[in-house]
Amino acid sequence: MASHDEPQLTAGEKVKIAGLTARMCKRSIAGENVHLADLQRKVDRILDGAAKRAEENPR
């Protein structure tokens, strides 16, 4: 269930985040010390864009 302070995501954004999450999981299988920050930044960038869009177009 979505929280009220999370922006509404488009279908494309959901697919991108799901793909990035799958890549993070795949890297995690390799070991504990695998670098995931680059993928986490991409997810954060998508969420920031959705939040900005929500601010510009309030419902």
Side-chain angles (χ1 to χ4, degrees):
M1 187 158 97
S3 172
H4 291 287
D5 50 343
E6 292 180 9
Q8 186 74 21
L9 299 175
T10 64
E13 290 168 338
K14 290 178 184 178
V15 169
K16 287 178 186 177
I17 290 174
L20 291 168
T21 303
R23 288 178 62 192
M24 282 188 246
C25 292
K26 186 177 176 183
R27 283 189 189 179
S28 299
I29 293 170
E32 293 180 13
N33 300 325
V34 178
H35 185 69
L36 298 175
D38 59 327
L39 298 176
Q40 291 168 341
R41 276 194 308 269
K42 288 181 182 184
V43 171
D44 289 341
R45 212 172 295 135
I46 292 169
L47 293 174
D48 289 344
K52 184 176 179 183
R53 184 182 65 246
E55 287 178 3
E56 291 175 356
N57 300 317
R59 288 186 171 204

